[in-house]
Amino acid sequence: MKQSLQDRLDVLCSQIQDAGFENIGKAMAALLNHTAINFDARTKTQRHITAFFESPGLNDVCNAITAHPQYQKNRKNLCCQKGIQGFATSISRDVVVQELRAFSRVDKMHIPLAKFSQPQIDLFSFEYLDEMHEATAPVLRSLLLTVIEPYRLPRISTSESHVLESFAPLEEYDTDVESEDIDLATDLASTAQRAAEHKGRNQKQVATAAISMLAYAHSKYSNYYQVIMGYHVFASGVKKRTMETFHQLGHMVLYESIVRALNANALATQELLRQKAQTHRFLLSFDNLNFWRHKRDQTSLNRSHMANYTAGFVVFMEPGSPLSAESVDHTQINKLNIHDLVIGSSTIECHQHAARAFACKLLNKYMNKSFCAQMVRNHAGKLMPKYPAWKPPLMDQRCSLEKADILPLPTLAKNKALIVETMDILQEYIDTLGISSELNSAKIMINGDLMTVRNITRSIHRRQDQDFVEDQLAWAEPLPGLFHTQMTVLKMMFGVFWGEPASTVSLCRYANLLRRKKITKMVLDFHHCDQFFLTLVEGFWLALIATECGCSTWEELEAFVAKEN
């Protein structure tokens, strides 16, 4: 027979009295009598139950139970009794279900797939979800954070302690170091504090994901977390079968739902592109997407199966009109003379400044303890480095570090490597942005690799005989990207300094000594070659610094840096 709420409370009071809480049991009974509510099965309504649990004395009784010294002593025994477990389970279940229903009713947690757009993607963050959970489901959030709190393993017995004799435990703080010396040069939080913050942040993320999955299982309309996760998983190239597994676990929506959301996002993005192109300055960038149909490997025999597409994006910067056509004048290059190419005193000073900044960066990277050994107090009484590190010469002239607004452009079935199709790509992207009427007096920067710059330049020369300015492509200003420029410079330096294995300072010799098999003269693997070249440059710089300081060993250089400027 199903017990009424009155019966459950009677069992709870009796068990509390058996544990030694006489006064608390009487207070609970007095509270029941004070409410004067009949909890029979016929009159047990939601209104009566709500009135009982909202009575002011119940909170005092619960606080008295938890504060009583006998509660801490017999807490485990109380929790093991089935009467208390059943009562706590029923109350917790009702509270959690109510909170999940409240969270599912929040409009912002429901994303209609037909209205999925870029602002919803930009708005997503675990901090935002955690705030929503704290506002609508505080009990469930607190419960999960308590459950996932890391469990401390018991101490190792004496018989097992010999296994860890060779491993010294890491201490959070060193007793020999004063508290003011912990944050000497970096002004950051201590290692223990940062570790605690990182651990707490991970726990909140786990709780946030768990509540979102429970809400999605409770109601399919609470799909904000699942749609965003599906969007990122789809963009990562995960296979469809794996995505279906994630959907069954509640991490994301169906594959078909993701496709519908992406189609809706494409239409919304196209309209957003037209709106922002009228009010913001922007930069275009596009490149080829090449893959082989029905073929696994790229060979000379299956080139007919290669499919060429072009994908691009537009970077919107600060609000304002596009650059004027007079802002870029290529005729000024005819006025260059030999004096413009000769290195002057200002250029030499800039190079010296850059050399000092690079040297300080190296010493701070490899000898941080010695580099920050000399400290003085500033006017506020805080310890600061006596010799601060030099900053790069162009530090104050860099662009704003604010994140630019990047939106994708439509993918076209065009081959960027062909000049004719490059002209078609430019025209279609301009039509997508809806700015054809403003090209007569504007300059639009187009970023890409060296092939893109070459093809756009040749397209401009081919279109000079057209009647209209927009057809002449005079508005296009191709610019090579910094990444591609870096690749070109690195390849040029490898070609100059590659040398022979027998040479003393050749790149080939050091590639063999360090056993770097991926390092080649043609720079086929850019990232490995770039890291290899940077390692050699840092090694030569440290050797140069040691020679200038009169040090022959690493220890002597560390001692010199700790004492001198």
Side-chain angles (χ1 to χ4, degrees), residues 250-310:
H251 283 289
M252 53 183 290
V253 295
L254 279 169
Y255 174 82
E256 290 77 9
S257 301
I258 298 175
V259 175
R260 289 170 54 194
L262 290 176
N263 292 333
N265 184 35
L267 296 177
T269 302
Q270 187 173 0
E271 182 63 27
L272 185 61
L273 284 173
R274 290 178 173 270
Q275 294 177 2
K276 300 200 71 170
Q278 304 295 331
T279 58
H280 289 70
R281 290 184 178 181
F282 59 88
L283 178 145
L284 294 177
S285 181
F286 57 88
D287 204 350
N288 259 11
L289 292 176
N290 300 327
F291 60 92
W292 276 256
R293 299 191 186 97
H294 312 296
K295 296 294 180 181
R296 188 188 66 179
D297 301 322
Q298 174 186 357
T299 63
S300 59
L301 300 178
N302 57 16
R303 296 193 64 178
S304 59
H305 295 271
M306 185 174 65
N308 302 108
Y309 288 84
T310 297

Short mmCIF file of all heavy atoms in Angstrom, two decimals, residues 250-310:
data_model
loop_
_atom_site.label_atom_id
_atom_site.label_comp_id
_atom_site.label_asym_id
_atom_site.label_seq_id
_atom_site.Cartn_x
_atom_site.Cartn_y
_atom_site.Cartn_z
N GLY A 250 22.74 11.46 -26.17
CA GLY A 250 22.19 12.75 -25.76
C GLY A 250 23.11 13.93 -25.92
O GLY A 250 22.82 15.01 -25.43
N HIS A 251 24.24 13.74 -26.62
CA HIS A 251 25.19 14.84 -26.78
C HIS A 251 24.82 15.77 -27.93
O HIS A 251 25.26 16.92 -27.94
CB HIS A 251 26.60 14.28 -27.02
CG HIS A 251 27.26 13.78 -25.79
ND1 HIS A 251 27.72 14.62 -24.79
CD2 HIS A 251 27.53 12.53 -25.35
CE1 HIS A 251 28.26 13.91 -23.82
NE2 HIS A 251 28.15 12.64 -24.12
N MET A 252 24.06 15.30 -28.90
CA MET A 252 23.77 16.11 -30.08
C MET A 252 22.47 15.62 -30.70
O MET A 252 21.93 14.56 -30.33
CB MET A 252 24.92 16.02 -31.09
CG MET A 252 25.32 14.62 -31.47
SD MET A 252 26.71 14.54 -32.59
CE MET A 252 25.94 15.16 -34.08
N VAL A 253 21.97 16.41 -31.65
CA VAL A 253 20.74 16.05 -32.34
C VAL A 253 21.05 15.09 -33.49
O VAL A 253 22.20 14.72 -33.73
CB VAL A 253 20.04 17.32 -32.86
CG1 VAL A 253 19.57 18.19 -31.72
CG2 VAL A 253 20.97 18.11 -33.77
N LEU A 254 20.02 14.70 -34.20
CA LEU A 254 20.18 13.78 -35.32
C LEU A 254 21.03 14.39 -36.44
O LEU A 254 21.12 15.62 -36.58
CB LEU A 254 18.82 13.38 -35.88
CG LEU A 254 18.05 12.28 -35.16
CD1 LEU A 254 16.63 12.22 -35.68
CD2 LEU A 254 18.74 10.94 -35.33
N TYR A 255 21.63 13.52 -37.25
CA TYR A 255 22.42 13.98 -38.39
C TYR A 255 21.54 14.78 -39.35
O TYR A 255 21.96 15.82 -39.87
CB TYR A 255 23.04 12.77 -39.09
CG TYR A 255 23.76 13.11 -40.37
CD1 TYR A 255 25.06 13.60 -40.36
CD2 TYR A 255 23.13 12.95 -41.61
CE1 TYR A 255 25.72 13.91 -41.53
CE2 TYR A 255 23.78 13.26 -42.79
CZ TYR A 255 25.07 13.73 -42.74
OH TYR A 255 25.71 14.04 -43.91
N GLU A 256 20.35 14.29 -39.61
CA GLU A 256 19.45 15.01 -40.53
C GLU A 256 19.07 16.37 -39.96
O GLU A 256 18.91 17.35 -40.71
CB GLU A 256 18.19 14.16 -40.78
CG GLU A 256 18.41 12.91 -41.62
CD GLU A 256 19.05 11.78 -40.82
OE1 GLU A 256 19.15 11.94 -39.58
OE2 GLU A 256 19.43 10.77 -41.43
N SER A 257 18.93 16.46 -38.65
CA SER A 257 18.61 17.76 -38.04
C SER A 257 19.77 18.74 -38.19
O SER A 257 19.57 19.94 -38.39
CB SER A 257 18.28 17.57 -36.56
OG SER A 257 17.18 16.69 -36.41
N ILE A 258 20.99 18.22 -38.11
CA ILE A 258 22.17 19.09 -38.29
C ILE A 258 22.20 19.64 -39.72
O ILE A 258 22.50 20.82 -39.95
CB ILE A 258 23.44 18.32 -37.97
CG1 ILE A 258 23.43 17.88 -36.51
CG2 ILE A 258 24.68 19.17 -38.24
CD1 ILE A 258 24.60 17.00 -36.13
N VAL A 259 21.89 18.79 -40.69
CA VAL A 259 21.88 19.24 -42.09
C VAL A 259 20.83 20.32 -42.28
O VAL A 259 21.07 21.33 -42.96
CB VAL A 259 21.64 18.04 -43.02
CG1 VAL A 259 21.50 18.51 -44.46
CG2 VAL A 259 22.79 17.05 -42.90
N ARG A 260 19.65 20.15 -41.68
CA ARG A 260 18.61 21.17 -41.78
C ARG A 260 19.07 22.47 -41.14
O ARG A 260 18.82 23.57 -41.66
CB ARG A 260 17.33 20.68 -41.12
CG ARG A 260 16.60 19.57 -41.87
CD ARG A 260 15.49 18.99 -41.02
NE ARG A 260 14.59 20.04 -40.55
CZ ARG A 260 13.70 19.86 -39.57
NH1 ARG A 260 13.63 18.70 -38.95
NH2 ARG A 260 12.92 20.85 -39.21
N ALA A 261 19.74 22.37 -39.99
CA ALA A 261 20.23 23.57 -39.32
C ALA A 261 21.29 24.28 -40.14
O ALA A 261 21.33 25.52 -40.21
CB ALA A 261 20.77 23.20 -37.94
N LEU A 262 22.16 23.51 -40.80
CA LEU A 262 23.21 24.13 -41.62
C LEU A 262 22.61 24.83 -42.84
O LEU A 262 23.08 25.89 -43.25
CB LEU A 262 24.21 23.06 -42.07
CG LEU A 262 25.10 22.49 -40.96
CD1 LEU A 262 25.99 21.38 -41.51
CD2 LEU A 262 25.96 23.57 -40.34
N ASN A 263 21.58 24.23 -43.45
CA ASN A 263 20.91 24.89 -44.58
C ASN A 263 20.26 26.20 -44.14
O ASN A 263 20.33 27.22 -44.85
CB ASN A 263 19.87 23.95 -45.18
CG ASN A 263 20.51 22.75 -45.85
OD1 ASN A 263 21.64 22.81 -46.33
ND2 ASN A 263 19.79 21.64 -45.90
N ALA A 264 19.64 26.18 -42.96
CA ALA A 264 19.04 27.41 -42.45
C ALA A 264 20.11 28.45 -42.12
O ALA A 264 19.93 29.65 -42.36
CB ALA A 264 18.20 27.11 -41.20
N ASN A 265 21.23 27.99 -41.60
CA ASN A 265 22.33 28.91 -41.29
C ASN A 265 22.90 29.53 -42.56
O ASN A 265 23.31 30.70 -42.57
CB ASN A 265 23.41 28.16 -40.52
CG ASN A 265 24.54 29.08 -40.08
OD1 ASN A 265 24.32 30.24 -39.76
ND2 ASN A 265 25.77 28.57 -40.09
N ALA A 266 22.96 28.75 -43.64
CA ALA A 266 23.47 29.28 -44.91
C ALA A 266 22.59 30.42 -45.42
O ALA A 266 23.08 31.46 -45.88
CB ALA A 266 23.57 28.17 -45.94
N LEU A 267 21.27 30.23 -45.34
CA LEU A 267 20.36 31.30 -45.80
C LEU A 267 20.44 32.52 -44.89
O LEU A 267 20.46 33.66 -45.37
CB LEU A 267 18.92 30.76 -45.82
CG LEU A 267 18.65 29.61 -46.80
CD1 LEU A 267 17.22 29.13 -46.67
CD2 LEU A 267 18.95 30.04 -48.23
N ALA A 268 20.52 32.29 -43.57
CA ALA A 268 20.64 33.43 -42.65
C ALA A 268 21.97 34.16 -42.82
O ALA A 268 22.02 35.39 -42.74
CB ALA A 268 20.48 32.94 -41.21
N THR A 269 23.05 33.40 -43.07
CA THR A 269 24.35 34.02 -43.26
C THR A 269 24.40 34.84 -44.54
O THR A 269 25.03 35.90 -44.59
CB THR A 269 25.44 32.93 -43.30
OG1 THR A 269 25.39 32.18 -42.09
CG2 THR A 269 26.82 33.55 -43.44
N GLN A 270 23.73 34.36 -45.59
CA GLN A 270 23.71 35.12 -46.84
C GLN A 270 23.04 36.48 -46.65
O GLN A 270 23.52 37.50 -47.17
CB GLN A 270 22.98 34.32 -47.91
CG GLN A 270 23.03 34.94 -49.29
CD GLN A 270 22.45 34.02 -50.35
OE1 GLN A 270 22.00 32.92 -50.05
NE2 GLN A 270 22.45 34.47 -51.59
N GLU A 271 21.97 36.52 -45.88
CA GLU A 271 21.31 37.80 -45.62
C GLU A 271 22.18 38.67 -44.72
O GLU A 271 22.26 39.89 -44.89
CB GLU A 271 19.95 37.54 -44.98
CG GLU A 271 19.14 38.79 -44.69
CD GLU A 271 18.79 39.56 -45.97
OE1 GLU A 271 18.70 38.91 -47.04
OE2 GLU A 271 18.62 40.79 -45.89
N LEU A 272 22.85 38.03 -43.74
CA LEU A 272 23.73 38.79 -42.84
C LEU A 272 24.92 39.37 -43.59
O LEU A 272 25.39 40.48 -43.28
CB LEU A 272 24.19 37.89 -41.70
CG LEU A 272 25.03 38.54 -40.60
CD1 LEU A 272 24.25 39.64 -39.90
CD2 LEU A 272 25.50 37.50 -39.59
N LEU A 273 25.44 38.64 -44.58
CA LEU A 273 26.55 39.15 -45.39
C LEU A 273 26.15 40.43 -46.12
O LEU A 273 26.93 41.40 -46.16
CB LEU A 273 26.98 38.08 -46.40
CG LEU A 273 27.81 36.90 -45.87
CD1 LEU A 273 27.99 35.86 -46.97
CD2 LEU A 273 29.16 37.38 -45.39
N ARG A 274 24.97 40.43 -46.68
CA ARG A 274 24.52 41.63 -47.41
C ARG A 274 24.35 42.83 -46.47
O ARG A 274 24.66 43.96 -46.85
CB ARG A 274 23.20 41.33 -48.13
CG ARG A 274 23.35 40.36 -49.31
CD ARG A 274 22.00 40.06 -49.94
NE ARG A 274 22.15 39.28 -51.15
CZ ARG A 274 22.30 39.80 -52.37
NH1 ARG A 274 22.32 41.12 -52.52
NH2 ARG A 274 22.44 39.03 -53.43
N GLN A 275 23.88 42.57 -45.28
CA GLN A 275 23.66 43.68 -44.35
C GLN A 275 24.99 44.27 -43.86
O GLN A 275 25.16 45.49 -43.83
CB GLN A 275 22.83 43.19 -43.17
CG GLN A 275 21.41 42.79 -43.53
CD GLN A 275 20.64 42.23 -42.34
OE1 GLN A 275 21.16 42.18 -41.22
NE2 GLN A 275 19.40 41.82 -42.57
N LYS A 276 25.92 43.42 -43.48
CA LYS A 276 27.18 43.92 -42.93
C LYS A 276 28.09 44.49 -44.01
O LYS A 276 28.93 45.35 -43.71
CB LYS A 276 27.90 42.80 -42.19
CG LYS A 276 27.11 42.21 -41.03
CD LYS A 276 28.00 41.48 -40.06
CE LYS A 276 28.84 42.47 -39.28
NZ LYS A 276 29.56 41.85 -38.15
N ALA A 277 27.96 44.03 -45.25
CA ALA A 277 28.79 44.57 -46.33
C ALA A 277 28.48 46.03 -46.62
O ALA A 277 29.32 46.76 -47.17
CB ALA A 277 28.62 43.74 -47.60
N GLN A 278 27.28 46.48 -46.24
CA GLN A 278 26.91 47.88 -46.46
C GLN A 278 27.44 48.81 -45.38
O GLN A 278 27.52 50.02 -45.60
CB GLN A 278 25.37 47.99 -46.53
CG GLN A 278 24.72 47.11 -47.57
CD GLN A 278 25.10 47.49 -48.98
OE1 GLN A 278 25.38 48.67 -49.26
NE2 GLN A 278 25.10 46.52 -49.89
N THR A 279 27.81 48.27 -44.22
CA THR A 279 28.17 49.12 -43.08
C THR A 279 29.56 48.87 -42.53
O THR A 279 30.00 49.61 -41.65
CB THR A 279 27.15 48.92 -41.95
OG1 THR A 279 27.12 47.54 -41.57
CG2 THR A 279 25.76 49.34 -42.40
N HIS A 280 30.28 47.84 -43.00
CA HIS A 280 31.58 47.49 -42.44
C HIS A 280 32.61 47.36 -43.55
O HIS A 280 32.29 47.03 -44.70
CB HIS A 280 31.51 46.17 -41.67
CG HIS A 280 30.77 46.25 -40.38
ND1 HIS A 280 29.40 46.43 -40.33
CD2 HIS A 280 31.19 46.17 -39.08
CE1 HIS A 280 29.01 46.45 -39.07
NE2 HIS A 280 30.07 46.29 -38.30
N ARG A 281 33.86 47.62 -43.17
CA ARG A 281 34.96 47.28 -44.05
C ARG A 281 35.25 45.78 -43.94
O ARG A 281 35.09 45.20 -42.87
CB ARG A 281 36.22 48.07 -43.66
CG ARG A 281 36.11 49.55 -43.97
CD ARG A 281 37.42 50.26 -43.64
NE ARG A 281 37.35 51.67 -43.98
CZ ARG A 281 38.33 52.53 -43.82
NH1 ARG A 281 39.48 52.12 -43.32
NH2 ARG A 281 38.19 53.80 -44.15
N PHE A 282 35.68 45.20 -45.04
CA PHE A 282 35.87 43.76 -45.02
C PHE A 282 37.02 43.35 -45.93
O PHE A 282 37.52 44.15 -46.74
CB PHE A 282 34.57 43.04 -45.44
CG PHE A 282 34.07 43.41 -46.81
CD1 PHE A 282 34.49 42.73 -47.93
CD2 PHE A 282 33.17 44.45 -46.96
CE1 PHE A 282 34.03 43.07 -49.19
CE2 PHE A 282 32.70 44.80 -48.21
CZ PHE A 282 33.13 44.11 -49.32
N LEU A 283 37.41 42.10 -45.78
CA LEU A 283 38.50 41.51 -46.56
C LEU A 283 38.05 40.14 -47.01
O LEU A 283 37.51 39.36 -46.22
CB LEU A 283 39.77 41.42 -45.72
CG LEU A 283 41.01 40.78 -46.34
CD1 LEU A 283 42.26 41.49 -45.83
CD2 LEU A 283 41.13 39.30 -45.97
N LEU A 284 38.25 39.84 -48.30
CA LEU A 284 37.87 38.54 -48.87
C LEU A 284 39.06 37.59 -48.88
O LEU A 284 40.21 38.01 -49.03
CB LEU A 284 37.34 38.70 -50.30
CG LEU A 284 36.03 39.47 -50.48
CD1 LEU A 284 35.72 39.60 -51.96
CD2 LEU A 284 34.90 38.78 -49.77
N SER A 285 38.77 36.31 -48.73
CA SER A 285 39.80 35.29 -48.82
C SER A 285 39.16 34.00 -49.31
O SER A 285 38.07 33.63 -48.85
CB SER A 285 40.46 35.05 -47.46
OG SER A 285 41.49 34.07 -47.56
N PHE A 286 39.82 33.32 -50.23
CA PHE A 286 39.30 32.05 -50.74
C PHE A 286 40.46 31.18 -51.22
O PHE A 286 41.56 31.67 -51.49
CB PHE A 286 38.28 32.26 -51.87
CG PHE A 286 38.79 33.05 -53.05
CD1 PHE A 286 39.43 32.42 -54.11
CD2 PHE A 286 38.62 34.42 -53.10
CE1 PHE A 286 39.90 33.13 -55.18
CE2 PHE A 286 39.08 35.15 -54.18
CZ PHE A 286 39.72 34.50 -55.23
N ASP A 287 40.19 29.89 -51.29
CA ASP A 287 41.21 28.93 -51.71
C ASP A 287 40.51 27.70 -52.28
O ASP A 287 39.30 27.51 -52.12
CB ASP A 287 42.11 28.56 -50.54
CG ASP A 287 43.48 28.05 -51.02
OD1 ASP A 287 43.63 27.82 -52.24
OD2 ASP A 287 44.39 27.89 -50.19
N ASN A 288 41.31 26.81 -52.87
CA ASN A 288 40.78 25.61 -53.50
C ASN A 288 40.50 24.50 -52.50
O ASN A 288 41.18 24.38 -51.48
CB ASN A 288 41.77 25.08 -54.56
CG ASN A 288 41.34 25.48 -55.96
OD1 ASN A 288 40.45 26.30 -56.14
ND2 ASN A 288 41.97 24.88 -56.95
N LEU A 289 39.50 23.69 -52.82
CA LEU A 289 39.22 22.43 -52.15
C LEU A 289 39.29 21.33 -53.20
O LEU A 289 38.40 21.21 -54.03
CB LEU A 289 37.85 22.45 -51.47
CG LEU A 289 37.66 23.38 -50.28
CD1 LEU A 289 36.21 23.34 -49.81
CD2 LEU A 289 38.57 22.99 -49.14
N ASN A 290 40.34 20.54 -53.15
CA ASN A 290 40.54 19.49 -54.16
C ASN A 290 40.42 18.12 -53.50
O ASN A 290 41.01 17.87 -52.45
CB ASN A 290 41.93 19.61 -54.80
CG ASN A 290 42.13 20.97 -55.48
OD1 ASN A 290 41.19 21.54 -56.02
ND2 ASN A 290 43.34 21.48 -55.42
N PHE A 291 39.65 17.25 -54.11
CA PHE A 291 39.55 15.86 -53.64
C PHE A 291 39.26 14.97 -54.84
O PHE A 291 38.87 15.43 -55.92
CB PHE A 291 38.47 15.72 -52.56
CG PHE A 291 37.09 16.11 -53.01
CD1 PHE A 291 36.21 15.17 -53.55
CD2 PHE A 291 36.65 17.41 -52.89
CE1 PHE A 291 34.95 15.52 -53.96
CE2 PHE A 291 35.38 17.78 -53.30
CZ PHE A 291 34.53 16.84 -53.83
N TRP A 292 39.44 13.67 -54.63
CA TRP A 292 39.30 12.69 -55.71
C TRP A 292 38.04 11.87 -55.51
O TRP A 292 37.80 11.31 -54.43
CB TRP A 292 40.54 11.77 -55.74
CG TRP A 292 41.67 12.36 -56.50
CD1 TRP A 292 42.09 12.02 -57.75
CD2 TRP A 292 42.53 13.41 -56.08
NE1 TRP A 292 43.16 12.79 -58.13
CE2 TRP A 292 43.46 13.67 -57.12
CE3 TRP A 292 42.63 14.18 -54.92
CZ2 TRP A 292 44.44 14.62 -57.04
CZ3 TRP A 292 43.61 15.14 -54.84
CH2 TRP A 292 44.49 15.36 -55.90
N ARG A 293 37.23 11.80 -56.55
CA ARG A 293 36.01 11.00 -56.51
C ARG A 293 36.34 9.52 -56.71
O ARG A 293 37.02 9.16 -57.67
CB ARG A 293 35.04 11.44 -57.59
CG ARG A 293 34.55 12.88 -57.50
CD ARG A 293 33.41 13.08 -58.47
NE ARG A 293 32.97 14.47 -58.55
CZ ARG A 293 33.37 15.32 -59.47
NH1 ARG A 293 34.21 14.92 -60.41
NH2 ARG A 293 32.94 16.56 -59.49
N HIS A 294 35.84 8.69 -55.80
CA HIS A 294 35.96 7.24 -55.92
C HIS A 294 37.41 6.78 -55.95
O HIS A 294 37.69 5.67 -56.43
CB HIS A 294 35.24 6.71 -57.17
CG HIS A 294 33.86 7.26 -57.35
ND1 HIS A 294 32.84 7.01 -56.45
CD2 HIS A 294 33.33 8.09 -58.30
CE1 HIS A 294 31.73 7.63 -56.86
NE2 HIS A 294 32.01 8.29 -57.96
N LYS A 295 38.33 7.61 -55.47
CA LYS A 295 39.73 7.22 -55.44
C LYS A 295 40.29 7.51 -54.05
O LYS A 295 39.95 8.52 -53.43
CB LYS A 295 40.55 7.99 -56.50
CG LYS A 295 40.14 7.67 -57.94
CD LYS A 295 40.45 6.22 -58.30
CE LYS A 295 40.05 5.92 -59.73
NZ LYS A 295 40.33 4.51 -60.10
N ARG A 296 41.16 6.64 -53.60
CA ARG A 296 41.73 6.82 -52.28
C ARG A 296 42.99 7.67 -52.30
O ARG A 296 43.20 8.54 -51.46
CB ARG A 296 42.04 5.45 -51.66
CG ARG A 296 42.48 5.51 -50.20
CD ARG A 296 42.96 4.16 -49.72
NE ARG A 296 44.19 3.78 -50.42
CZ ARG A 296 44.86 2.65 -50.19
NH1 ARG A 296 44.40 1.78 -49.31
NH2 ARG A 296 45.96 2.37 -50.88
N ASP A 297 43.89 7.40 -53.27
CA ASP A 297 45.19 8.06 -53.32
C ASP A 297 45.29 8.97 -54.53
O ASP A 297 44.59 8.81 -55.53
CB ASP A 297 46.32 7.03 -53.37
CG ASP A 297 46.29 6.10 -52.16
OD1 ASP A 297 45.98 6.59 -51.06
OD2 ASP A 297 46.55 4.90 -52.33
N GLN A 298 46.21 9.94 -54.43
CA GLN A 298 46.47 10.85 -55.53
C GLN A 298 47.63 10.31 -56.36
O GLN A 298 48.75 10.17 -55.89
CB GLN A 298 46.83 12.24 -54.98
CG GLN A 298 47.27 13.21 -56.06
CD GLN A 298 47.74 14.53 -55.47
OE1 GLN A 298 47.69 14.72 -54.27
NE2 GLN A 298 48.20 15.42 -56.31
N THR A 299 47.35 9.98 -57.59
CA THR A 299 48.37 9.50 -58.53
C THR A 299 48.18 10.22 -59.85
O THR A 299 47.19 10.91 -60.09
CB THR A 299 48.27 7.98 -58.73
OG1 THR A 299 46.99 7.66 -59.33
CG2 THR A 299 48.41 7.23 -57.40
N SER A 300 49.17 10.03 -60.72
CA SER A 300 49.10 10.67 -62.04
C SER A 300 48.08 10.01 -62.95
O SER A 300 47.72 10.58 -63.99
CB SER A 300 50.48 10.64 -62.69
OG SER A 300 50.93 9.29 -62.83
N LEU A 301 47.61 8.83 -62.58
CA LEU A 301 46.67 8.10 -63.43
C LEU A 301 45.21 8.44 -63.14
O LEU A 301 44.34 8.11 -63.96
CB LEU A 301 46.89 6.58 -63.26
CG LEU A 301 48.29 6.07 -63.63
CD1 LEU A 301 48.37 4.57 -63.38
CD2 LEU A 301 48.61 6.37 -65.09
N ASN A 302 44.92 9.02 -62.02
CA ASN A 302 43.53 9.31 -61.68
C ASN A 302 43.25 10.80 -61.57
O ASN A 302 42.36 11.20 -60.81
CB ASN A 302 43.14 8.60 -60.38
CG ASN A 302 44.04 8.99 -59.22
OD1 ASN A 302 44.74 9.99 -59.29
ND2 ASN A 302 44.01 8.20 -58.16
N ARG A 303 43.98 11.61 -62.28
CA ARG A 303 43.76 13.06 -62.21
C ARG A 303 42.42 13.46 -62.81
O ARG A 303 41.87 14.51 -62.48
CB ARG A 303 44.89 13.80 -62.92
CG ARG A 303 46.24 13.60 -62.27
CD ARG A 303 47.26 14.59 -62.79
NE ARG A 303 46.90 15.96 -62.46
CZ ARG A 303 47.62 17.01 -62.76
NH1 ARG A 303 48.76 16.86 -63.42
NH2 ARG A 303 47.24 18.22 -62.42
N SER A 304 41.87 12.60 -63.68
CA SER A 304 40.56 12.92 -64.26
C SER A 304 39.45 12.82 -63.22
O SER A 304 38.36 13.36 -63.42
CB SER A 304 40.27 11.96 -65.41
OG SER A 304 40.28 10.61 -64.97
N HIS A 305 39.71 12.17 -62.09
CA HIS A 305 38.71 12.04 -61.04
C HIS A 305 38.78 13.17 -60.02
O HIS A 305 38.02 13.16 -59.05
CB HIS A 305 38.89 10.70 -60.31
CG HIS A 305 38.64 9.51 -61.17
ND1 HIS A 305 37.40 8.92 -61.32
CD2 HIS A 305 39.49 8.79 -61.96
CE1 HIS A 305 37.49 7.90 -62.15
NE2 HIS A 305 38.74 7.79 -62.55
N MET A 306 39.68 14.11 -60.21
CA MET A 306 39.83 15.19 -59.24
C MET A 306 38.71 16.21 -59.40
O MET A 306 38.39 16.64 -60.52
CB MET A 306 41.19 15.88 -59.41
CG MET A 306 41.45 16.94 -58.35
SD MET A 306 43.11 17.65 -58.43
CE MET A 306 43.04 18.47 -60.01
N ALA A 307 38.09 16.57 -58.28
CA ALA A 307 37.03 17.58 -58.25
C ALA A 307 37.60 18.85 -57.61
O ALA A 307 38.26 18.79 -56.58
CB ALA A 307 35.83 17.08 -57.47
N ASN A 308 37.31 19.99 -58.23
CA ASN A 308 37.83 21.28 -57.75
C ASN A 308 36.68 22.15 -57.29
O ASN A 308 35.74 22.42 -58.05
CB ASN A 308 38.60 22.00 -58.86
CG ASN A 308 39.75 21.17 -59.40
OD1 ASN A 308 39.70 20.65 -60.50
ND2 ASN A 308 40.81 21.03 -58.61
N TYR A 309 36.76 22.58 -56.05
CA TYR A 309 35.81 23.54 -55.50
C TYR A 309 36.58 24.70 -54.89
O TYR A 309 37.79 24.61 -54.65
CB TYR A 309 34.92 22.88 -54.43
CG TYR A 309 33.90 21.91 -55.00
CD1 TYR A 309 34.24 20.60 -55.27
CD2 TYR A 309 32.60 22.32 -55.27
CE1 TYR A 309 33.32 19.70 -55.79
CE2 TYR A 309 31.66 21.44 -55.79
CZ TYR A 309 32.03 20.14 -56.05
OH TYR A 309 31.11 19.27 -56.56
N THR A 310 35.87 25.78 -54.63
CA THR A 310 36.46 26.96 -54.02
C THR A 310 35.63 27.36 -52.82
O THR A 310 34.41 27.56 -52.94
CB THR A 310 36.54 28.13 -55.01
OG1 THR A 310 37.39 27.76 -56.11
CG2 THR A 310 37.10 29.37 -54.34
#
